[in-house]
């Protein structure tokens, strides 16, 4: 199972909602792209399903981890110009499922933010790399968000108790899925992406060569998708959802 080829993105997006499972998901895959959207005047908001309470690589007391990681995500968002960051309550790192409850919470966010575009994690697993993007929370949030886009958010008779008007999202961008084919040249916003990643200190401080690692990975993505040598890119699958 894979995605069809990406469409040409809509050119008049005014609002983008990013829905991810953990603090740092949006930044590893997409912070350069988000920074370029913000620079273009697009209003970008984040909804995080968990506070990444199972993350970290040291002996930080576990009850401090969600507090630290929420603060890190807010700082990372600020590094790329995003100020609206919302965390859902009652979901925990490692146990997210695409439940009706989660769908409903994402529907509420869609109907409140009214985004033209949603950026989320891929609901499809990629088999060429076992770890990383294939975290079950990522797949679950991608699936729940996809169901929230269609049919839930646009169906006036779904989740009527929210008291919010239906909303049609026009486009979805998936991060971390198989064979992403839409490259965004982020060379000019790379410094902001790196600053966002460094803000996730609990997740990146142990990576002594973070800058080198990211430049290599983003450079390879750029080359694979036909960008000139020396450019850096993030890659997505872009689908129309109207
Ligand atoms: Zn994650």
């Amino acid at each position: 199972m894979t995605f069809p080829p990406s469409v040409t993105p809509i050119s008049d997006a005014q609002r983008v909602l990013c829905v991810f499972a953990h603090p740092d998901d949006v930044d590893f895959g997409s912070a350069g792209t988000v920074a370029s959207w913000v620079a273009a005047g697009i209003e970008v908001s984040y909804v995080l399903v968990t506070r990444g309470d199972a993350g970290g690589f040291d002996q930080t007391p576990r009850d401090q981890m969600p507090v630290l990681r929420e603060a890190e995500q807010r700082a990372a968002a600020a590094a790329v110009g995003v100020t609206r960051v919302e965390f859902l309550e009652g979901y925990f790192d490692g146990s997210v499922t695409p439940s009706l409850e989660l769908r409903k919470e994402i529907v509420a966010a869609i109907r409140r933010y009214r985004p033209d575009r949603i950026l989320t994690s891929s609901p499809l697993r990629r088999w060429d790399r076992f770890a990383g993007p294939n975290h079950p929370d990522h797949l679950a949030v991608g699936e729940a968000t996809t169901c929230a886009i269609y049919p839930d958010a646009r169906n006036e008779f779904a989740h009527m108790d929210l008291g919010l008007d239906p909303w049609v999202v026009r486009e979805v961008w998936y991060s971390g899925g198989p064979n992403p084919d839409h490259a965004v040249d982020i060379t000019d916003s790379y410094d902001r992406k790196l600053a966002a990643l460094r803000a996730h200190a609990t997740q990146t401080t142990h990576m002594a060569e973070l800058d080198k690692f990211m430049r290599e990975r983003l450079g390879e993505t750029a080359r694979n998708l036909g960008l000139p040598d020396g450019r850096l890119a993030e890659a997505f699958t872009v689908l129309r959802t109207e």
Side-chain angles (χ1 to χ4, degrees), residues 3 18 47 95:
F3 290 116
C18 306
V47 168
S95 60

Side-chain angles (χ1 to χ4, degrees), residues 132-155:
N134 295 325
H135 191 296
D137 290 355
H138 300 172
L139 302 172
V141 169
E143 177 65 20
T145 303
T146 302
C147 297
I149 294 170
Y150 174 83
D152 298 357
R154 67 186 63 180
N155 181 355

Side-chain angles (χ1 to χ4, degrees), residues 21-25 69 132 135 137-138:
H22 315 121
D24 86 11
D25 291 347
R69 295 200 67 189
H135 191 296
D137 290 355
H138 300 172

